[in-house]
Amino acid sequence: SAPPGAPAPGKDHVAGTVSSESGPTVQISRGGRATSVNLATAQIAQLSPAQATDVTVNSCVRIRPTRDAAGSQNPVARMVVVGAPADGQCPSSTKSGHGGMAGTVSAVGQGTVTVGTQTVAVNASTRYIKRSAATIQAVANGQCLTARGTNDPSGTLQATTATVRTPVNGQC
């Protein structure tokens, strides 16, 4: 969900590779199809590689369990996305099912991360990603971009939120 005071994310979305940029408008290509995206008023986040030591008490996390651990009493994290609180608040969801959980880290132990009262195991297979606020300058040709907003009559997505990251093995 959007942070308090932020515009609603919108019902339309696009994801792909930035193929051109001109001011706040970028072209996103995926599967031979290009879409214009206006990022002028978008809240932009950047994803980058992280490591276990980036997860600290009071950091915000979103944890996705391994497929076989979803719904388990003892979930194992497949991915941990870590970031700083927005306006002093972390988005919170403590459901440990298929969608994982999100919230403020209350403890970090040997092989575990605790969010609220739910402890999740982490291991050598757990992938860590850092999420940070970014500006339009972070968006460049060849980067992966996912944006949400509303399509205007011309077909341009007027983005309210966008996430940019470097391709992994050349793929978005």
Side-chain angles (χ1 to χ4, degrees), residues 6-166:
K11 62 179 175 59
D12 301 312
H13 72 280
V14 65
T17 305
V18 176
S19 56
S20 70
E21 53 184 304
S22 177
T25 302
V26 298
Q27 292 290 318
I28 304 299
S29 298
R30 184 171 197 160
R33 185 169 170 245
T35 303
S36 291
V37 179
N38 183 346
L39 298 171
T41 60
Q43 181 179 20
I44 302 172
Q46 186 166 22
L47 301 180
S48 57
Q51 51 194 358
T53 55
D54 291 318
V55 179
T56 59
V57 172
N58 293 326
S59 60
C60 296
V61 293
R62 178 170 305 278
I63 298 174
R64 296 222 171 115
T66 58
R67 287 184 187 9
D68 57 336
S72 165
Q73 293 288 35
N74 302 303
V76 176
R78 171 175 55 93
M79 181 170 53
V80 177
V81 179
V82 62
D87 300 324
Q89 298 279 334
C90 294
S92 181
S93 169
T94 54
K95 60 183 179 188
S96 60
H98 176 69
M101 69 179 70
T104 305
V105 175
S106 55
V108 178
Q110 183 67 29
T112 63
V113 173
T114 303
V115 178
T117 59
Q118 178 72 46
T119 299
V120 178
V122 292
N123 58 34
S125 298
T126 302
R127 190 170 131 212
Y128 295 89
I129 298 170
K130 188 173 195 172
R131 181 182 180 91
S132 54
T135 64
I136 196 152
Q137 284 73 29
V139 180
N141 286 345
Q143 294 286 303
C144 301
L145 185 88
T146 301
R148 289 197 173 278
T150 304
N151 287 327
D152 68 16
S154 73
T156 297
L157 180 72
Q158 299 297 322
T160 53
T161 62
T163 304
V164 63
R165 69 172 176 82
T166 301

